[in-house]
Structure formats: structure tokens, C-alpha cells
Amino acid sequence: VVTFSLVLHHSVPQIVAPVKVRSEFDKNVLFRRAFVGACLLYALFAAPVAYLFGDKTQSAANLGWATYHHVHDASDPRDALKTRLIAYLAQFVVLYPAVNVLATYPLNVITFGDALLAAHRRFQANGEVSATPPSRTSVRIARLVAAVPPLVGACIQPDISSVTNVTGCFGLFLCAVVPGVLSLAARRLAPGPTEHASPLNGKAAAVALVLVGLVLTAGSLAAAL
């Protein structure tokens, strides 16, 4: 949940921009409901799979539905209809992750490309934020830089389970290493106590979080590879 929150927050600014709401409070309520709804949907998908497949649940849980079939009952006049419906349902579950990736791919490309372009422009301006909008050519190049590598990687390694086994390890990196590094960087920019500080906001806690995150990420990568 934390990893998905971090990933989705990456796209929040551009999602919010075209949304017309009365106040910032309404925006908070909107996204809070969206995250709660997403959490409930994931739980709704995960619970039946864990119950039905148990120890045979695969790392890509949707693949378990590839062999799911209806138990025929010759005395049931709707047996043929149930067989077709179950077959369609199984194919939908198997294909759902791929459809989901295809649906979110354009948004990820746009937000990641724009973030790369903003970081590049800020680096060129020695940390200053330019008020001049970027050219269309630079925007297109940045978005191509974000769009092409995943497509090349998919051609090189078409087995999605192998890809998710490796990329899933970086959830630990996002949850532990990145927040710790950001905390250390923030302490350099704004040293001193803050209004809501606690012992967990200290430098020692941030360093420990980074170190533990690196060890866990390295261990999970070694196991996946």
C-alpha cells in the first residue's frame, strides 16, 4: 500500500490540475476516497484468490485462473452458458494486469517524462525554477526517454513474472531508502527542530532506515535473480 501510494503520488499534481473543486479540502477528500476505494478493490481481488488457491497461489496470482474451469453438470440446462461465462471470467482475470498496465502507461509516461524534463531544466539553471515553459520538442524528447526503455525491456524479456519478481524488490527501496534519503536532504536544507518532530525524525533514524532498506533490497534482489 505504501509503495503504491508513493508511485501514485508521483502523478497526483498533474491529475489535480484539470480537476475543478471548491477548495483544497475537497481535493483532499477526493483523493482520500480514491485511495480508500483502490485499497478496497485490491482487497476484494486478493481475498478470493487467497481463499480459492491457498498454497498454490502463484507470484502473479492472476495466472492461477488460466486453468480455472467450470465443473460440468449434465442435468443443468444452463451448463453451457455457465461454461462460457466462467471461461470469459478466467480470461479477464488473466489479462487484467496487462490491460491495467496498458491503461496507465500513457499517464506514467507523461508524468515521468515531465518530471525528467523539470529536473533537467532545474539542473541547467543551477537549481533555479524557470518561469519559461519548455518547448514542444524538449517535451516530446523527455516523454520518449520515459516511454521507450520499458518497450525495449518488454521485447528483451517478455516473461512478465520475471520482470515483476525484480521490480517488486524496489518496493523496499521506495518504502525505506528513498524516504530516508529525502529526510537527510531535508535536514541539510532546513536544519533544526520542526513543529511535529519526534525521535523518528532524527538523523540516526534516517540513516538506519536507509541502511536497513539497502540490505533488504539487496537481499530480495539476490533471491529474485
Side-chain angles (χ1 to χ4, degrees), residues 5-102:
S5 297
L6 286 170
V7 173
L8 292 173
H9 272 84
H10 181 270
S11 303
V12 163
Q14 288 186 318
I15 296 176
V16 170
V19 177
K20 292 183 179 180
V21 292
R22 293 187 301 273
S23 66
E24 290 297 324
F25 174 78
D26 291 334
K27 287 184 180 180
N28 293 335
V29 171
L30 174 66
F31 280 95
R32 187 179 300 115
R33 290 176 179 175
F35 279 115
V36 170
C39 178
L40 292 176
L41 284 175
Y42 272 100
L44 189 62
F45 277 117
V49 172
Y51 176 77
L52 290 172
F53 296 100
D55 295 337
K56 296 181 180 179
T57 303
Q58 301 187 42
S59 57
N62 64 302
L63 297 180
W65 294 81
T67 56
Y68 187 76
H69 60 278
H70 172 61
V71 178
H72 295 286
D73 182 3
S75 62
D76 187 355
R78 298 181 179 178
D79 186 68
L81 176 62
K82 291 180 179 179
T83 300
R84 288 196 298 270
L85 289 177
I86 292 299
Y88 292 147
L89 175 63
Q91 288 302 312
F92 170 77
V93 175
V94 170
L95 294 175
Y96 174 79
V99 175
N100 185 37
V101 170
L102 288 175

Coordinates of all heavy atoms in Angstrom, one line a residue, residues 5-102:
S5 N 1.2 4.0 -2.9 CA 0.9 5.4 -2.6 C 2.0 6.3 -3.1 O 1.7 7.4 -3.7 CB 0.8 5.6 -1.0 OG -0.3 4.9 -0.6
L6 N 3.3 5.9 -2.9 CA 4.4 6.7 -3.4 C 4.4 6.8 -4.9 O 4.6 7.9 -5.5 CB 5.7 6.1 -2.9 CG 6.1 6.2 -1.5 CD1 7.3 5.3 -1.1 CD2 6.4 7.7 -1.1
V7 N 4.1 5.7 -5.6 CA 4.0 5.7 -7.0 C 2.9 6.6 -7.5 O 3.1 7.4 -8.5 CB 3.8 4.3 -7.6 CG1 3.6 4.3 -9.1 CG2 5.1 3.4 -7.3
L8 N 1.7 6.5 -6.9 CA 0.6 7.3 -7.4 C 0.8 8.8 -7.0 O 0.3 9.6 -7.8 CB -0.7 6.8 -6.7 CG -1.1 5.4 -7.2 CD1 -2.3 4.9 -6.4 CD2 -1.5 5.4 -8.7
H9 N 1.4 9.1 -5.9 CA 1.6 10.5 -5.6 C 2.5 11.2 -6.6 O 2.5 12.4 -6.8 CB 2.3 10.6 -4.2 CG 1.3 10.7 -3.1 ND1 0.8 9.6 -2.5 CD2 0.8 11.7 -2.4 CE1 -0.1 9.9 -1.6 NE2 -0.1 11.2 -1.5
H10 N 3.3 10.4 -7.3 CA 4.2 10.9 -8.4 C 3.3 11.6 -9.5 O 3.7 12.6 -10.1 CB 5.0 9.8 -9.0 CG 5.9 10.2 -10.1 ND1 5.6 10.3 -11.4 CD2 7.2 10.7 -10.0 CE1 6.6 10.7 -12.1 NE2 7.6 10.9 -11.3
S11 N 2.1 11.1 -9.7 CA 1.2 11.6 -10.7 C 0.1 12.5 -10.2 O -0.6 13.1 -11.0 CB 0.5 10.4 -11.4 OG 1.5 9.5 -12.0
V12 N 0.0 12.7 -8.9 CA -1.1 13.5 -8.3 C -1.1 14.9 -8.9 O -2.2 15.4 -9.2 CB -1.0 13.4 -6.8 CG1 -1.8 14.6 -6.2 CG2 -1.5 12.1 -6.3
P13 N 0.0 15.7 -8.9 CA -0.1 17.1 -9.3 C -0.7 17.3 -10.7 O -1.6 18.2 -10.9 CB 1.4 17.5 -9.4 CG 2.1 16.7 -8.4 CD 1.4 15.3 -8.5
Q14 N -0.4 16.4 -11.7 CA -0.9 16.6 -13.0 C -2.4 16.1 -13.1 O -3.1 16.4 -13.9 CB -0.1 15.9 -14.0 CG 1.2 16.7 -14.3 CD 2.0 16.1 -15.4 OE1 2.2 14.9 -15.5 NE2 2.6 17.0 -16.2
I15 N -2.7 15.1 -12.1 CA -4.1 14.7 -12.1 C -5.0 15.8 -11.5 O -6.1 16.0 -11.9 CB -4.2 13.4 -11.3 CG1 -3.4 12.3 -12.0 CG2 -5.7 13.0 -11.1 CD1 -3.4 11.0 -11.2
V16 N -4.5 16.5 -10.5 CA -5.2 17.5 -9.8 C -5.5 18.7 -10.7 O -6.5 19.4 -10.6 CB -4.5 17.9 -8.5 CG1 -5.2 19.2 -7.9 CG2 -4.5 16.8 -7.5
A17 N -4.5 19.0 -11.6 CA -4.5 20.3 -12.3 C -5.9 20.5 -13.0 O -6.4 21.6 -12.9 CB -3.4 20.3 -13.3
P18 N -6.4 19.5 -13.8 CA -7.7 19.8 -14.5 C -8.9 19.6 -13.7 O -10.0 19.9 -14.2 CB -7.6 18.8 -15.7 CG -6.9 17.6 -15.1 CD -5.9 18.2 -14.1
V19 N -8.8 19.2 -12.4 CA -9.9 18.9 -11.6 C -10.4 20.2 -11.0 O -9.7 21.0 -10.3 CB -9.6 17.9 -10.5 CG1 -10.8 17.7 -9.6 CG2 -9.2 16.6 -11.1
K20 N -11.7 20.5 -11.1 CA -12.3 21.7 -10.6 C -13.0 21.4 -9.3 O -14.0 20.6 -9.3 CB -13.3 22.3 -11.6 CG -12.7 22.9 -12.8 CD -13.7 23.5 -13.7 CE -13.0 24.1 -15.0 NZ -14.0 24.8 -15.9
V21 N -12.5 21.9 -8.2 CA -13.1 21.7 -6.9 C -13.2 23.0 -6.2 O -12.5 24.0 -6.5 CB -12.3 20.7 -6.0 CG1 -12.4 19.3 -6.6 CG2 -10.8 21.2 -5.9
R22 N -14.0 23.1 -5.1 CA -14.2 24.3 -4.4 C -13.1 24.8 -3.5 O -12.8 25.9 -3.4 CB -15.5 24.2 -3.6 CG -16.8 24.1 -4.4 CD -18.0 24.1 -3.5 NE -18.0 23.1 -2.4 CZ -18.4 21.9 -2.6 NH1 -19.0 21.5 -3.8 NH2 -18.4 21.0 -1.6
S23 N -12.3 23.8 -3.0 CA -11.3 24.2 -2.0 C -10.3 23.0 -2.0 O -10.5 21.9 -2.5 CB -11.8 24.4 -0.6 OG -12.4 23.2 -0.1
E24 N -9.1 23.3 -1.3 CA -8.1 22.3 -1.1 C -8.7 21.1 -0.3 O -8.3 20.0 -0.4 CB -6.9 22.9 -0.4 CG -6.1 23.8 -1.3 CD -5.5 23.1 -2.5 OE1 -5.1 22.0 -2.3 OE2 -5.5 23.8 -3.5
F25 N -9.6 21.4 0.7 CA -10.2 20.4 1.5 C -10.9 19.4 0.6 O -10.8 18.2 0.8 CB -11.2 21.0 2.5 CG -12.0 20.0 3.3 CD1 -11.4 19.3 4.3 CD2 -13.3 19.7 2.9 CE1 -12.1 18.3 5.0 CE2 -14.0 18.7 3.6 CZ -13.4 18.1 4.7
D26 N -11.6 19.9 -0.4 CA -12.3 19.0 -1.3 C -11.4 18.1 -2.1 O -11.7 16.9 -2.4 CB -13.2 19.8 -2.3 CG -14.4 20.5 -1.6 OD1 -14.8 20.0 -0.6 OD2 -14.8 21.5 -2.1
K27 N -10.2 18.7 -2.5 CA -9.2 17.8 -3.1 C -8.7 16.7 -2.2 O -8.6 15.6 -2.7 CB -8.0 18.7 -3.6 CG -8.3 19.6 -4.8 CD -7.1 20.3 -5.2 CE -7.4 21.3 -6.4 NZ -6.1 22.0 -6.8
N28 N -8.5 17.1 -1.0 CA -8.0 16.0 0.0 C -9.1 14.9 0.1 O -8.8 13.7 0.2 CB -7.7 16.7 1.4 CG -6.6 17.6 1.3 OD1 -5.7 17.5 0.5 ND2 -6.5 18.6 2.2
V29 N -10.3 15.3 0.3 CA -11.4 14.3 0.4 C -11.5 13.5 -0.9 O -11.7 12.3 -0.8 CB -12.8 15.1 0.6 CG1 -13.9 14.1 0.6 CG2 -12.7 15.8 2.0
L30 N -11.3 14.1 -2.0 CA -11.4 13.4 -3.3 C -10.4 12.3 -3.4 O -10.7 11.1 -3.7 CB -11.3 14.4 -4.5 CG -11.2 13.8 -5.9 CD1 -12.5 13.1 -6.2 CD2 -10.8 14.8 -6.9
F31 N -9.1 12.7 -3.1 CA -8.0 11.7 -3.2 C -8.1 10.7 -2.0 O -7.7 9.5 -2.2 CB -6.7 12.4 -3.2 CG -6.4 12.9 -4.6 CD1 -6.7 14.2 -4.9 CD2 -5.8 12.1 -5.6 CE1 -6.4 14.7 -6.2 CE2 -5.6 12.6 -6.8 CZ -5.8 13.9 -7.2
R32 N -8.5 11.1 -0.9 CA -8.7 10.1 0.2 C -9.7 9.0 -0.1 O -9.4 7.8 0.1 CB -9.1 10.9 1.5 CG -9.1 9.9 2.7 CD -9.5 10.7 4.0 NE -8.6 11.8 4.3 CZ -9.0 13.1 4.2 NH1 -10.3 13.4 3.9 NH2 -8.2 14.0 4.5
R33 N -10.8 9.4 -0.7 CA -11.8 8.5 -1.1 C -11.2 7.6 -2.3 O -11.5 6.4 -2.3 CB -13.0 9.2 -1.6 CG -13.8 9.8 -0.4 CD -15.0 10.6 -0.9 NE -15.7 11.2 0.2 CZ -16.8 12.0 0.0 NH1 -17.2 12.4 -1.2 NH2 -17.4 12.5 1.1
A34 N -10.4 8.2 -3.2 CA -9.9 7.4 -4.3 C -8.9 6.3 -3.7 O -8.9 5.2 -4.2 CB -9.2 8.3 -5.3
F35 N -8.1 6.7 -2.8 CA -7.1 5.7 -2.2 C -7.8 4.6 -1.4 O -7.5 3.5 -1.5 CB -6.1 6.4 -1.3 CG -5.0 7.1 -2.1 CD1 -4.8 8.5 -2.1 CD2 -4.1 6.3 -2.8 CE1 -3.8 9.0 -2.8 CE2 -3.1 6.9 -3.6 CZ -2.9 8.3 -3.5
V36 N -8.8 5.0 -0.6 CA -9.6 4.0 0.1 C -10.3 3.1 -0.8 O -10.3 1.9 -0.6 CB -10.6 4.7 1.1 CG1 -11.6 3.7 1.7 CG2 -9.9 5.5 2.2
G37 N -10.9 3.6 -1.9 CA -11.6 2.8 -2.9 C -10.6 1.8 -3.6 O -10.9 0.7 -3.8
A38 N -9.4 2.3 -3.9 CA -8.4 1.4 -4.5 C -8.0 0.3 -3.6 O -7.8 -0.8 -4.0 CB -7.2 2.3 -5.0
C39 N -7.8 0.7 -2.3 CA -7.4 -0.3 -1.3 C -8.5 -1.4 -1.2 O -8.2 -2.6 -1.1 CB -7.2 0.4 0.1 SG -6.8 -0.8 1.4
L40 N -9.8 -1.0 -1.2 CA -10.9 -2.0 -1.0 C -10.9 -2.9 -2.3 O -11.2 -4.1 -2.2 CB -12.2 -1.2 -0.9 CG -12.4 -0.5 0.5 CD1 -13.7 0.3 0.5 CD2 -12.3 -1.5 1.6
L41 N -10.7 -2.3 -3.5 CA -10.7 -3.1 -4.7 C -9.6 -4.1 -4.7 O -9.8 -5.3 -5.1 CB -10.6 -2.2 -5.9 CG -11.8 -1.4 -6.3 CD1 -11.5 -0.4 -7.4 CD2 -13.0 -2.3 -6.7
Y42 N -8.4 -3.7 -4.2 CA -7.3 -4.7 -4.2 C -7.6 -5.8 -3.2 O -7.3 -7.0 -3.4 CB -6.0 -4.0 -3.8 CG -5.2 -3.4 -5.0 CD1 -5.3 -2.1 -5.3 CD2 -4.5 -4.3 -5.8 CE1 -4.6 -1.6 -6.4 CE2 -3.8 -3.8 -6.9 CZ -3.9 -2.4 -7.2 OH -3.2 -1.9 -8.3
A43 N -8.2 -5.5 -2.1 CA -8.6 -6.5 -1.1 C -9.7 -7.4 -1.6 O -9.6 -8.6 -1.4 CB -9.1 -5.8 0.2
L44 N -10.6 -6.8 -2.4 CA -11.7 -7.6 -3.0 C -11.1 -8.6 -4.0 O -11.6 -9.7 -4.1 CB -12.7 -6.7 -3.6 CG -14.0 -7.3 -4.1 CD1 -14.8 -7.9 -3.0 CD2 -14.8 -6.3 -4.9
F45 N -10.1 -8.2 -4.7 CA -9.5 -9.1 -5.7 C -8.6 -10.2 -5.0 O -8.6 -11.3 -5.4 CB -8.6 -8.3 -6.7 CG -9.3 -7.7 -7.8 CD1 -9.4 -6.4 -8.0 CD2 -10.0 -8.5 -8.7 CE1 -10.0 -5.8 -9.0 CE2 -10.7 -8.0 -9.8 CZ -10.7 -6.6 -9.9
A46 N -7.9 -9.7 -3.9 CA -6.9 -10.6 -3.3 C -7.5 -11.7 -2.4 O -7.1 -12.9 -2.4 CB -5.9 -9.8 -2.5
A47 N -8.6 -11.3 -1.7 CA -9.1 -12.3 -0.7 C -9.7 -13.6 -1.4 O -9.4 -14.7 -0.9 CB -10.2 -11.6 0.1
P48 N -10.5 -13.5 -2.4 CA -11.0 -14.7 -3.0 C -9.9 -15.6 -3.6 O -9.9 -16.8 -3.6 CB -11.9 -14.2 -4.1 CG -12.3 -12.9 -3.7 CD -11.1 -12.3 -3.0
V49 N -8.8 -14.9 -4.2 CA -7.7 -15.7 -4.8 C -7.0 -16.5 -3.7 O -6.7 -17.7 -3.8 CB -6.7 -14.7 -5.5 CG1 -5.5 -15.5 -5.9 CG2 -7.4 -14.1 -6.7
A50 N -6.7 -15.8 -2.5 CA -6.0 -16.5 -1.4 C -6.9 -17.6 -0.9 O -6.3 -18.7 -0.5 CB -5.7 -15.5 -0.3
Y51 N -8.2 -17.4 -0.8 CA -9.1 -18.5 -0.3 C -9.2 -19.7 -1.2 O -9.1 -20.8 -0.8 CB -10.5 -17.9 -0.1 CG -11.5 -18.9 0.4 CD1 -11.5 -19.3 1.7 CD2 -12.4 -19.4 -0.5 CE1 -12.4 -20.3 2.1 CE2 -13.4 -20.3 -0.1 CZ -13.4 -20.7 1.2 OH -14.3 -21.7 1.6
L52 N -9.3 -19.4 -2.5 CA -9.5 -20.5 -3.5 C -8.2 -21.3 -3.8 O -8.3 -22.5 -3.9 CB -10.1 -19.9 -4.8 CG -11.5 -19.4 -4.8 CD1 -11.8 -18.6 -6.1 CD2 -12.5 -20.5 -4.5
F53 N -7.1 -20.6 -3.9 CA -5.9 -21.2 -4.4 C -4.9 -21.6 -3.2 O -4.1 -22.5 -3.4 CB -5.1 -20.4 -5.4 CG -5.9 -20.2 -6.7 CD1 -6.6 -19.0 -6.9 CD2 -5.9 -21.2 -7.6 CE1 -7.3 -18.8 -8.1 CE2 -6.7 -21.0 -8.8 CZ -7.4 -19.8 -9.0
G54 N -5.0 -20.9 -2.1 CA -4.2 -21.3 -0.9 C -2.8 -21.3 -1.2 O -2.2 -20.4 -1.8
D55 N -2.1 -22.4 -0.9 CA -0.7 -22.6 -1.0 C -0.3 -22.6 -2.5 O 0.9 -22.5 -2.8 CB -0.2 -23.8 -0.3 CG -0.4 -23.8 1.2 OD1 -0.4 -22.7 1.7 OD2 -0.4 -24.8 1.8
K56 N -1.2 -22.9 -3.4 CA -0.9 -22.9 -4.8 C -1.0 -21.6 -5.5 O -0.8 -21.5 -6.7 CB -1.8 -23.9 -5.5 CG -1.7 -25.4 -5.0 CD -2.6 -26.3 -5.8 CE -2.5 -27.7 -5.3 NZ -3.4 -28.7 -6.0
T57 N -1.2 -20.5 -4.7 CA -1.2 -19.2 -5.3 C 0.1 -18.8 -5.9 O 1.1 -18.9 -5.2 CB -1.6 -18.1 -4.3 OG1 -2.9 -18.5 -3.7 CG2 -1.8 -16.8 -4.9
Q58 N 0.1 -18.4 -7.2 CA 1.4 -18.1 -7.9 C 1.8 -16.7 -7.5 O 1.0 -15.9 -7.0 CB 1.2 -18.3 -9.4 CG 0.8 -19.7 -9.8 CD 0.8 -19.8 -11.3 OE1 1.7 -19.4 -12.0 NE2 -0.2 -20.5 -11.8
S59 N 3.1 -16.3 -7.8 CA 3.6 -15.0 -7.5 C 2.8 -14.0 -8.3 O 2.5 -12.9 -7.8 CB 5.1 -14.9 -7.9 OG 5.3 -15.2 -9.2
A60 N 2.4 -14.3 -9.6 CA 1.5 -13.5 -10.3 C 0.1 -14.2 -10.2 O -0.2 -15.1 -10.9 CB 1.9 -13.4 -11.8
A61 N -0.6 -13.8 -9.2 CA -1.8 -14.5 -8.8 C -2.8 -14.7 -9.9 O -3.6 -15.7 -9.9 CB -2.5 -13.8 -7.6
N62 N -2.9 -13.8 -10.9 CA -3.8 -13.9 -11.9 C -3.6 -15.2 -12.8 O -4.5 -15.7 -13.4 CB -3.8 -12.7 -12.8 CG -2.5 -12.5 -13.5 OD1 -1.4 -12.4 -12.9 ND2 -2.5 -12.4 -14.8
L63 N -2.4 -15.7 -12.9 CA -2.1 -16.8 -13.7 C -2.8 -18.1 -13.2 O -2.9 -19.1 -14.0 CB -0.5 -17.1 -13.8 CG 0.3 -15.9 -14.4 CD1 1.7 -16.2 -14.4 CD2 -0.2 -15.7 -15.8
G64 N -3.1 -18.1 -11.9 CA -3.8 -19.3 -11.4 C -5.2 -19.5 -12.1 O -5.7 -20.6 -12.1
W65 N -5.7 -18.4 -12.6 CA -7.0 -18.5 -13.3 C -6.9 -19.0 -14.7 O -8.0 -19.2 -15.4 CB -7.7 -17.1 -13.3 CG -8.1 -16.7 -11.9 CD1 -7.2 -16.1 -11.0 CD2 -9.3 -16.8 -11.3 NE1 -7.9 -15.8 -9.9 CE2 -9.2 -16.2 -10.0 CE3 -10.6 -17.3 -11.7 CZ2 -10.3 -16.1 -9.1 CZ3 -11.6 -17.2 -10.8 CH2 -11.5 -16.6 -9.5
A66 N -5.7 -19.2 -15.2 CA -5.6 -19.7 -16.6 C -6.2 -21.1 -16.8 O -6.7 -21.4 -17.9 CB -4.1 -19.7 -17.0
T67 N -6.1 -21.9 -15.7 CA -6.7 -23.3 -15.8 C -8.0 -23.4 -15.1 O -8.5 -24.5 -14.9 CB -5.6 -24.3 -15.2 OG1 -5.3 -23.9 -13.9 CG2 -4.4 -24.3 -16.0
Y68 N -8.5 -22.3 -14.6 CA -9.8 -22.3 -13.9 C -10.9 -22.7 -14.9 O -11.0 -22.1 -16.0 CB -10.1 -21.0 -13.2 CG -11.3 -21.0 -12.3 CD1 -11.2 -21.6 -11.1 CD2 -12.5 -20.4 -12.7 CE1 -12.3 -21.5 -10.2 CE2 -13.6 -20.4 -11.9 CZ -13.5 -21.0 -10.6 OH -14.6 -20.9 -9.8
H69 N -11.8 -23.6 -14.5 CA -12.9 -24.1 -15.4 C -14.1 -24.4 -14.6 O -14.1 -24.7 -13.4 CB -12.4 -25.3 -16.2 CG -12.0 -26.5 -15.4 ND1 -10.8 -26.6 -14.8 CD2 -12.7 -27.6 -15.0 CE1 -10.7 -27.7 -14.1 NE2 -11.9 -28.3 -14.2
H70 N -15.2 -24.5 -15.3 CA -16.5 -24.8 -14.7 C -16.6 -26.4 -14.6 O -16.2 -27.1 -15.5 CB -17.6 -24.3 -15.6 CG -19.0 -24.7 -15.2 ND1 -19.5 -24.5 -13.9 CD2 -19.9 -25.4 -15.9 CE1 -20.7 -25.0 -13.9 NE2 -21.0 -25.6 -15.0
V71 N -17.1 -26.9 -13.5 CA -17.4 -28.3 -13.3 C -18.8 -28.6 -14.0 O -19.8 -28.1 -13.6 CB -17.5 -28.7 -11.8 CG1 -17.8 -30.2 -11.7 CG2 -16.1 -28.3 -11.2
H72 N -18.7 -29.4 -15.0 CA -19.9 -29.7 -15.8 C -21.0 -30.4 -15.0 O -20.7 -31.3 -14.2 CB -19.5 -30.4 -17.1 CG -18.6 -29.7 -18.0 ND1 -19.1 -28.6 -18.8 CD2 -17.3 -29.8 -18.3 CE1 -18.1 -28.1 -19.5 NE2 -17.0 -28.8 -19.2
D73 N -22.2 -30.1 -15.3 CA -23.3 -30.8 -14.7 C -24.4 -31.0 -15.9 O -25.0 -30.1 -16.3 CB -24.0 -29.9 -13.6 CG -25.1 -30.6 -12.9 OD1 -25.4 -31.8 -13.3 OD2 -25.7 -30.0 -12.0
A74 N -24.4 -32.2 -16.3 CA -25.3 -32.6 -17.5 C -26.8 -32.3 -17.2 O -27.6 -32.1 -18.1 CB -25.1 -34.0 -17.9
S75 N -27.2 -32.3 -15.9 CA -28.6 -32.1 -15.6 C -29.0 -30.6 -15.5 O -30.1 -30.3 -15.4 CB -28.9 -32.8 -14.2 OG -28.1 -32.2 -13.2
D76 N -28.0 -29.8 -15.6 CA -28.2 -28.3 -15.6 C -28.5 -27.8 -17.0 O -27.6 -27.8 -17.8 CB -27.1 -27.6 -14.9 CG -27.3 -26.1 -14.6 OD1 -28.4 -25.6 -15.0 OD2 -26.5 -25.5 -14.0
P77 N -29.7 -27.2 -17.2 CA -29.9 -26.7 -18.6 C -29.1 -25.5 -18.9 O -28.9 -25.1 -20.1 CB -31.4 -26.3 -18.5 CG -31.7 -26.1 -17.1 CD -30.8 -27.1 -16.4
R78 N -28.5 -24.8 -17.9 CA -27.6 -23.6 -18.2 C -26.2 -24.0 -18.1 O -25.3 -23.1 -18.0 CB -28.0 -22.6 -17.2 CG -29.4 -22.1 -17.2 CD -29.6 -21.0 -16.2 NE -31.0 -20.5 -16.3 CZ -31.5 -19.5 -15.5 NH1 -30.7 -19.0 -14.5 NH2 -32.7 -19.1 -15.6
D79 N -25.8 -25.2 -18.2 CA -24.4 -25.7 -18.1 C -23.6 -25.0 -19.1 O -22.4 -24.6 -18.8 CB -24.3 -27.2 -18.1 CG -22.9 -27.7 -17.8 OD1 -22.5 -27.5 -16.7 OD2 -22.3 -28.2 -18.8
A80 N -24.0 -25.0 -20.4 CA -23.2 -24.4 -21.5 C -23.0 -23.0 -21.2 O -21.9 -22.4 -21.5 CB -23.9 -24.7 -22.8
L81 N -24.0 -22.2 -20.8 CA -23.9 -20.8 -20.5 C -22.9 -20.6 -19.4 O -22.0 -19.7 -19.5 CB -25.2 -20.2 -20.1 CG -25.3 -18.7 -19.7 CD1 -24.8 -17.9 -20.9 CD2 -26.6 -18.3 -19.3
K82 N -23.0 -21.4 -18.3 CA -22.0 -21.2 -17.2 C -20.6 -21.5 -17.7 O -19.7 -20.8 -17.2 CB -22.4 -22.1 -16.1 CG -23.7 -21.8 -15.4 CD -24.1 -22.7 -14.3 CE -25.4 -22.3 -13.6 NZ -25.7 -23.3 -12.5
T83 N -20.4 -22.5 -18.5 CA -19.1 -22.8 -19.0 C -18.5 -21.6 -19.8 O -17.3 -21.3 -19.6 CB -19.1 -24.0 -20.0 OG1 -19.7 -25.2 -19.2 CG2 -17.8 -24.4 -20.5
R84 N -19.3 -21.0 -20.7 CA -18.8 -19.9 -21.4 C -18.5 -18.7 -20.5 O -17.5 -18.0 -20.6 CB -19.8 -19.4 -22.5 CG -19.9 -20.4 -23.6 CD -20.6 -19.8 -24.8 NE -22.0 -19.4 -24.5 CZ -23.0 -20.2 -24.6 NH1 -22.9 -21.4 -25.1 NH2 -24.3 -19.8 -24.3
L85 N -19.4 -18.4 -19.5 CA -19.2 -17.3 -18.6 C -17.9 -17.5 -17.8 O -17.1 -16.5 -17.6 CB -20.4 -17.1 -17.7 CG -21.7 -16.6 -18.4 CD1 -22.8 -16.5 -17.4 CD2 -21.4 -15.2 -19.0
I86 N -17.7 -18.7 -17.3 CA -16.5 -19.0 -16.5 C -15.3 -18.8 -17.3 O -14.2 -18.3 -16.8 CB -16.6 -20.4 -15.8 CG1 -17.7 -20.4 -14.8 CG2 -15.3 -20.8 -15.2 CD1 -17.5 -19.5 -13.6
A87 N -15.3 -19.3 -18.6 CA -14.2 -19.1 -19.4 C -13.8 -17.7 -19.7 O -12.7 -17.3 -19.7 CB -14.4 -19.9 -20.8
Y88 N -14.9 -16.8 -19.9 CA -14.7 -15.4 -20.1 C -14.1 -14.8 -18.9 O -13.2 -13.9 -18.9 CB -16.0 -14.7 -20.5 CG -16.5 -15.1 -21.9 CD1 -17.8 -15.2 -22.2 CD2 -15.6 -15.4 -22.9 CE1 -18.3 -15.6 -23.4 CE2 -16.1 -15.8 -24.2 CZ -17.4 -15.9 -24.4 OH -17.9 -16.2 -25.7
L89 N -14.6 -15.2 -17.7 CA -14.2 -14.6 -16.4 C -12.7 -14.9 -16.2 O -11.9 -14.1 -15.8 CB -15.0 -15.1 -15.3 CG -14.6 -14.7 -13.9 CD1 -14.6 -13.2 -13.7 CD2 -15.4 -15.4 -12.8
A90 N -12.3 -16.2 -16.5 CA -10.9 -16.6 -16.3 C -10.0 -15.8 -17.2 O -8.9 -15.3 -16.8 CB -10.8 -18.1 -16.6
Q91 N -10.4 -15.6 -18.5 CA -9.6 -14.9 -19.4 C -9.4 -13.4 -19.0 O -8.4 -12.8 -19.1 CB -10.1 -15.0 -20.8 CG -10.0 -16.3 -21.5 CD -8.5 -16.7 -21.5 OE1 -7.6 -15.9 -22.0 NE2 -8.2 -17.9 -21.1
F92 N -10.5 -12.8 -18.5 CA -10.5 -11.5 -18.0 C -9.5 -11.3 -16.9 O -8.7 -10.4 -16.8 CB -11.9 -11.0 -17.5 CG -11.9 -9.7 -16.8 CD1 -11.8 -8.5 -17.5 CD2 -12.0 -9.6 -15.4 CE1 -11.8 -7.3 -16.9 CE2 -12.0 -8.4 -14.8 CZ -11.9 -7.3 -15.5
V93 N -9.5 -12.2 -15.9 CA -8.6 -12.1 -14.7 C -7.2 -12.3 -15.2 O -6.3 -11.6 -14.7 CB -9.0 -13.2 -13.7 CG1 -8.0 -13.2 -12.5 CG2 -10.4 -12.9 -13.1
V94 N -6.9 -13.2 -16.1 CA -5.6 -13.4 -16.6 C -5.0 -12.2 -17.4 O -3.9 -11.8 -17.2 CB -5.5 -14.7 -17.6 CG1 -4.2 -14.8 -18.3 CG2 -5.8 -15.9 -16.8
L95 N -5.9 -11.6 -18.1 CA -5.5 -10.4 -19.0 C -5.5 -9.1 -18.2 O -5.0 -8.1 -18.7 CB -6.3 -10.3 -20.2 CG -6.2 -11.5 -21.2 CD1 -7.2 -11.3 -22.3 CD2 -4.8 -11.5 -21.8
Y96 N -6.2 -9.1 -17.0 CA -6.4 -7.8 -16.3 C -5.1 -7.0 -16.1 O -5.0 -5.8 -16.3 CB -7.2 -8.0 -15.0 CG -7.3 -6.8 -14.2 CD1 -8.2 -5.8 -14.5 CD2 -6.5 -6.6 -13.1 CE1 -8.4 -4.7 -13.7 CE2 -6.6 -5.4 -12.3 CZ -7.5 -4.5 -12.7 OH -7.6 -3.4 -11.9
P97 N -4.0 -7.7 -15.5 CA -2.8 -6.9 -15.3 C -2.2 -6.3 -16.5 O -1.8 -5.1 -16.5 CB -1.8 -7.9 -14.7 CG -2.7 -9.0 -14.1 CD -3.9 -9.1 -15.1
A98 N -2.3 -7.0 -17.7 CA -1.8 -6.4 -18.9 C -2.6 -5.2 -19.4 O -2.1 -4.2 -19.8 CB -1.7 -7.5 -20.0
V99 N -3.9 -5.4 -19.2 CA -4.8 -4.3 -19.6 C -4.6 -3.1 -18.7 O -4.6 -1.9 -19.1 CB -6.3 -4.7 -19.6 CG1 -7.2 -3.6 -19.8 CG2 -6.5 -5.8 -20.6
N100 N -4.4 -3.3 -17.4 CA -4.1 -2.3 -16.4 C -2.9 -1.5 -16.8 O -2.8 -0.3 -16.7 CB -4.1 -2.9 -15.0 CG -3.9 -1.8 -14.0 OD1 -4.6 -0.8 -14.0 ND2 -3.2 -2.1 -12.9
V101 N -1.8 -2.3 -17.1 CA -0.5 -1.6 -17.5 C -0.7 -0.8 -18.7 O -0.2 0.4 -18.8 CB 0.6 -2.7 -17.7 CG1 1.8 -2.0 -18.3 CG2 0.9 -3.3 -16.4
L102 N -1.4 -1.3 -19.7 CA -1.6 -0.5 -20.9 C -2.4 0.7 -20.7 O -2.2 1.8 -21.3 CB -2.4 -1.4 -22.0 CG -1.5 -2.5 -22.6 CD1 -2.4 -3.4 -23.5 CD2 -0.4 -1.9 -23.4

